[in-house]
Amino acid sequence: MTSNLLGRALGSISPHALQRAETSRLLSSLQAAPSIRFDGSEEAASTEAQHDEDKEYELGGIWAHKAGVNCLAIDRFEGRYMLSGGAESSIILWDLESAENSHNRCNYKPSAKASKASSAHKFGITHLSFYPFDSLAFLSTSYDHTLKIYATETLTLSASFDLNSVVYSHALSPIADHLLVACATQHPAIRLVDLRSGASAHSLAGHQGVVLSVAWSPRDEYILASGGSDGAVKLWDIRRSAGSLGVLDMDDSVGVGGEDGRGKNARTRNHGKAHIGACNGVVWTEDGKNLVTAGHDERVRVWDVGVGANALSHFGPIIKNTHLSTLLPLLAPRHISGSQLMLYPNEKEILMFDLFEGTLLKRLRAPGVAVAQASGSAGQRNIRNRVTSLSWRTGDVEMYSAHSDGLIRAWKPRTKEEIQVEKDEAEHVDGDEDESRKRKRQALDDVFRDLTRQKITFT
């Protein structure tokens, strides 16, 4: 850092190069921040219990959603508000700029909470997303077959749509004016809900099984990508009524352009599979030129959407993906990372890859127990702890992860120097506490000696 600042002062490096070097350094030092905690319990932890915070944090004394956290969403404008959806059907709004600092801990309390009520979801939340043009509203889907729209500040219900089947995920285009919400449901057809008319506009039929993930193109407002349990990843133009534009084939690294760019030996786009097994994650890159998909064959694949070709990025055998719920890789903002980085929720750890090279850059291990206890409508049960969702905070090098043990964990850059300073401060606090205990013990010893020195006579 010092050498970069000196180089900038001398004019040997540009401001852009300095920014990229600094953000790259921050990304490489991204680590878990156990001092940041999200407490969604009904009652705040007592002051006395906070002295044993590390133990309490891991054993479930502090949790965001007691039955587990299914999904997260952070507003894209200010990066201030975060939504979390629980397995017990509650939705909590967190203000990331209103933490309570005590005992060297940063504790977040819910700003608002939508729990079980006549208008709330009845079962676990599957997906949350802020309205793409204004963070004052957000959308939620649930296992109770509904898509709901809420006002962010008050968590009051604005609209509800019953789709008559489990909704695994939804998507609203960040650039379009049509306000169509694409819903991936248990039904083989993708449902399109028009927020203007309040009706289900039409369906996109083509998958041979459950649709698990949908995503609108950030480049073309009418292009939609979907992944399903049949292993197919399809591209749709919603203006067409004749079905999908085509499918992505994992065996095709040439695409529609063919070997010579004019269609030589090009495959047909009507058949093919992107994954051997269900595809439960579909994400576009910022420029809309590439698509990233994750499947139950424990593979993450990158596609050149322009020609429909497999980019052949290989991420090794460490990828894990076995759950039917939507699992979305997180792509770090390009202006921060320089090269395109992917963060993948890999069971109990988060893997950082170079998206196009497939190089593993870092393994972020989530602290905690492998098997956690969760309380829900069915009572107390043991669940395997895993990372369920990732979300990036706009305007900062900061990430948050949702876990099935009920916790929301923060990930921030922490250099070796900062870690050493934290250890020194903790040792200083411990030393002060030891001195206080010694003084109290000495006072008790003095009282005891004074009592024993007195002569006591019995008559």
Side-chain angles (χ1 to χ4, degrees), residues 6-80:
L6 180 60
R8 177 67 196 118
L10 296 174
S12 59
I13 61 175
S14 65
H16 182 68
L18 174 63
Q19 178 189 7
R20 180 161 297 184
E22 177 62 10
T23 53
S24 298
R25 183 185 70 86
L26 293 175
L27 276 171
S28 63
S29 60
L30 201 65
Q31 295 185 38
S35 61
I36 298 177
R37 310 188 305 173
F38 294 84
D39 186 3
S41 58
E42 298 297 331
E43 298 180 359
S46 64
T47 305
E48 181 180 356
Q50 288 180 357
H51 287 291
D52 193 16
E53 286 172 330
D54 289 333
K55 181 178 179 182
E56 182 186 44
Y57 183 76
E58 298 304 336
L59 295 181
I62 299 294
W63 37 261
H65 295 268
K66 200 167 187 178
V69 189
N70 285 352
C71 50
L72 292 177
I74 299 178
D75 78 276
R76 56 182 291 195
F77 298 102
E78 300 178 72
R80 175 176 179 178

Side-chain angles (χ1 to χ4, degrees), residues 76-77 127 129-134 139 147 169-183 191-196 214-225 236 238 284 286 288:
R76 56 182 291 195
F77 298 102
H127 194 198
S129 66
F130 279 95
Y131 192 68
F133 309 110
D134 191 348
L139 296 87
L147 165 72
S169 70
H170 65 268
L172 187 60
S173 175
I175 60 172
D177 296 327
H178 52 61
L179 295 183
L180 292 175
V181 182
C183 297
R191 301 288 297 275
L192 297 179
V193 178
D194 191 345
L195 296 184
R196 284 199 176 96
V214 288
W216 289 98
S217 169
R219 193 177 184 180
D220 191 320
E221 60 180 329
Y222 298 107
I223 301 300
L224 178 72
W236 310 81
I238 61 171
W284 291 86
E286 288 181 2

Side-chain angles (χ1 to χ4, degrees), residues 340-416:
Q340 186 68 72
L341 298 184
M342 179 186 74
L343 294 135
Y344 182 79
N346 198 51
E347 291 293 335
K348 200 172 177 257
E349 64 180 356
I350 302 170
L351 305 178
M352 182 187 293
F353 291 100
D354 183 293
L355 182 64
F356 298 107
E357 297 295 331
T359 308
L360 178 62
L361 304 176
K362 194 177 183 67
R363 301 180 79 156
L364 304 172
R365 299 187 182 276
V369 293
V371 178
Q373 286 191 341
S375 297
S377 58
Q380 198 83 3
R381 71 190 192 279
N382 291 330
I383 58 174
R384 185 178 179 183
N385 183 23
R386 64 185 181 91
V387 185
T388 56
S389 179
L390 299 175
S391 189
W392 192 270
R393 187 177 182 184
T394 303
D396 205 347
V397 182
E398 193 171 324
M399 179 180 67
Y400 294 86
S401 59
H403 299 258
S404 59
D405 62 357
L407 301 180
I408 298 174
R409 291 182 170 90
W411 304 82
K412 290 187 174 185
R414 298 174 69 210
T415 61
K416 293 181 179 179

Side-chain angles (χ1 to χ4, degrees), residues 65 67 70 85-91 114-117 120-125 142 144 150:
H65 295 268
N70 285 352
E88 80 290 0
S89 80
S90 67
I91 299 174
S115 54
K116 283 192 175 181
H121 287 292
K122 302 297 186 256
F123 302 117
I125 309 300
S142 167
D144 64 2
Y150 287 90

Side-chain angles (χ1 to χ4, degrees), residues 220-270:
D220 191 320
E221 60 180 329
Y222 298 107
I223 301 300
L224 178 72
S226 65
S229 61
D230 55 358
V233 173
K234 294 179 176 288
L235 297 175
W236 310 81
D237 186 335
I238 61 171
R239 297 169 295 185
R240 292 166 49 104
S241 59
S244 66
L245 292 173
V247 299
L248 300 178
D249 189 352
M250 59 184 171
D251 296 325
D252 183 8
S253 61
V254 177
V256 295
E259 296 175 355
D260 58 354
R262 299 180 180 179
K264 181 181 178 181
N265 295 330
R267 296 171 181 260
T268 60
R269 313 310 299 172
N270 298 323

Side-chain angles (χ1 to χ4, degrees), residues 83 129-132 134-139 149-153 158:
L83 293 166
S129 66
F130 279 95
Y131 192 68
D134 191 348
S135 59
L136 293 178
F138 70 89
L139 296 87
I149 305 174
Y150 287 90
T152 302
E153 293 182 345
S158 300

